[in-house]
Amino acid sequence: GLRVVDVSNPAAPAEAGFCDTPWIASDVAVSGAYAYVADDDSGLRVINVSSPGAPYEVGAYDTPSFARGVVVEGQYVYVADYNTGLVILDVTTPSAPSLVASLDTPGSARDVDVAGTVAYVADYSGGLRVIDVSVPASPSEVGSWDSDFSAIQDVVVSGDYAYLADGNSGLSIVDVSNPTSPARVGFVGTDGYPHGIAFGGSTVYLAESYTGLRVIDVSDPVNPAVLGSCDTLGTAWNVAVEGAYAYVADYDAGLRVIDVSDPRAPWEVGYYDTPGNEIDLSVEGVFAFMAALDAG
C-alpha cells in the first residue's frame, strides 16, 4: 500500500495515513494532490493525497505486466513495466488514466526517469535504455548502454549524466549528452547490493542492501569518490533526499532518517519502524510517501 509518514520532526517520524493497494506497491511518485503508485501485478494506482491523513484511491490502470517503477511529468506518467518495458499513460483525468503508448525493452524494466523529452529505463540485464518521448504516442529507442553483467535496478538523470544503481557492481555514471551514444565515464564498486539511487547537488546517495546508505561525490564524474556511509538496521532498498536529510526505505526496518549535512559522517537521527516492509519512497515537503509491501 501507500504509507504517508510525517517527517516534519526528522527525529520522530510518525505515520499520518495509509491507503491499501491490491498488490505489492513497488514505487511511488507524487505530483500535486496525487500519488502515483507502481503496484506490481495491479499496474498503476492513483491516490489522492490532498489530505495526507486520509489518502484514497481515485483511479487505476492495469499495465500488461508488473509495474515496478514510476515517474510523473506533466500530464504523463511513465511506468517501468517489468516484462513490457516502458508504458506511457495520460493522467489528465486522474480518475481515468489512459494508455498513450508502450515500448518493449530487451531486459526487465525496473525503474525510469525522465529528463526533457527523453526517458531513461533501468532495464536490469538490458542495462540503460534511452527512449525519445518527444512525441509520447510514438516513443522510440535512440540509444543504450550496458555491461556484460548488468543488473540495473535504478536510474536518476541530472544534466549530461545518468547515474545507475547496478546490483551486480555498484554505481555507474553514464554520459548521455548525446542520447544516441551513451558511454560510461565513471564507476564506483560497492560492497552491498545497490537497489536505489538519489541525486542532490554534486552527490549521489546509494541505498545498498546489506550495507545501508553510501554517499558518493560525483563533482568529477570521471573520478567519483565515496565520502561516507551509514549502516542501516534493515535492508536498504531505496533513498530520497530533501535538504540535509536522506530518507531510506529500509525494508523490514521501516523508514530511517539520516543526517547528511556532513557527507563524510552521515548518521541516523530518527526512524519509524513501520508495520510492514518499505521498498521505495518519495519525499515532498514534510511528508514521506512510501511504497509498502504490507496491507496496513
Side-chain angles (χ1 to χ4, degrees):
L2 175 71
R3 190 183 311 283
V4 184
V5 179
D6 185 334
V7 293
S8 55
N9 179 0
E15 184 160 326
F18 184 85
C19 179
D20 197 12
T21 56
W23 206 250
I24 298 171
S26 299
D27 194 10
V28 56
V30 178
S31 179
Y34 299 98
Y36 301 89
V37 176
D39 199 43
D40 204 75
D41 196 32
S42 74
L44 177 76
R45 320 305 293 191
V46 184
I47 298 173
N48 187 312
V49 292
S50 56
S51 176
Y56 62 96
E57 184 175 299
V58 297
Y61 183 90
D62 191 2
T63 57
S65 179
F66 307 103
R68 293 291 175 85
V70 61
V71 65
V72 56
E73 290 288 335
Q75 74 189 78
Y76 298 106
V77 166
Y78 302 83
V79 178
D81 198 47
Y82 199 68
N83 292 329
T84 308
L86 178 66
V87 175
I88 305 174
L89 303 172
D90 189 325
V91 292
T92 302
T93 304
S95 60
S98 59
L99 179 65
V100 177
S102 64
L103 181 71
D104 193 17
T105 56
S108 306
R110 302 297 177 95
D111 217 329
V112 57
D113 197 12
V114 174
T117 59
V118 182
Y120 301 85
V121 175
D123 203 37
Y124 198 67
S125 60
L128 174 70
R129 317 310 295 190
V130 183
I131 300 169
D132 183 343
V133 292
S134 55
V135 180
S138 301
S140 61
E141 182 171 291
V142 294
S144 64
W145 176 85
D146 66 353
S147 66
D148 291 338
F149 303 102
S150 287
I152 309 301
Q153 295 279 1
D154 202 357
V155 56
V156 62
V157 178
S158 180
D160 289 338
Y161 300 98
Y163 303 89
L164 311 180
D166 188 330
N168 281 344
S169 57
L171 168 70
S172 285
I173 303 175
V174 177
D175 186 333
V176 291
S177 55
N178 180 355
T180 63
S181 56
R184 187 168 75 175
V185 295
F187 172 77
V188 172
T190 58
D191 298 324
Y193 187 97
H195 265 287
I197 192 167
F199 180 87
S202 59
T203 308
V204 160
Y205 303 85
L206 208 58
E208 299 176 358
S209 299
Y210 317 120
T211 54
L213 179 71
R214 192 177 301 268
V215 185
I216 302 170
D217 180 1
V218 293
S219 54
D220 178 1
V222 177
N223 295 295
V226 175
L227 296 174
S229 62
C230 179
D231 195 11
T232 55
L233 182 65
T235 303
W237 216 262
N238 219 315
V239 57
V241 177
E242 184 86 5
Y245 300 99
Y247 300 86
V248 176
D250 206 34
Y251 202 69
D252 51 330
L255 172 69
R256 319 306 290 194
V257 184
I258 299 173
D259 186 324
V260 290
S261 55
D262 179 358
R264 297 185 182 277
W267 60 288
E268 184 176 293
V269 296
Y271 68 91
Y272 174 62
D273 193 359
T274 60
N277 299 325
E278 313 298 318
I279 62 174
D280 214 321
L281 76 170
S282 176
V283 177
E284 301 290 333
V286 299
F287 293 100
F289 299 87
M290 308 195 70
L293 295 185
D294 61 310

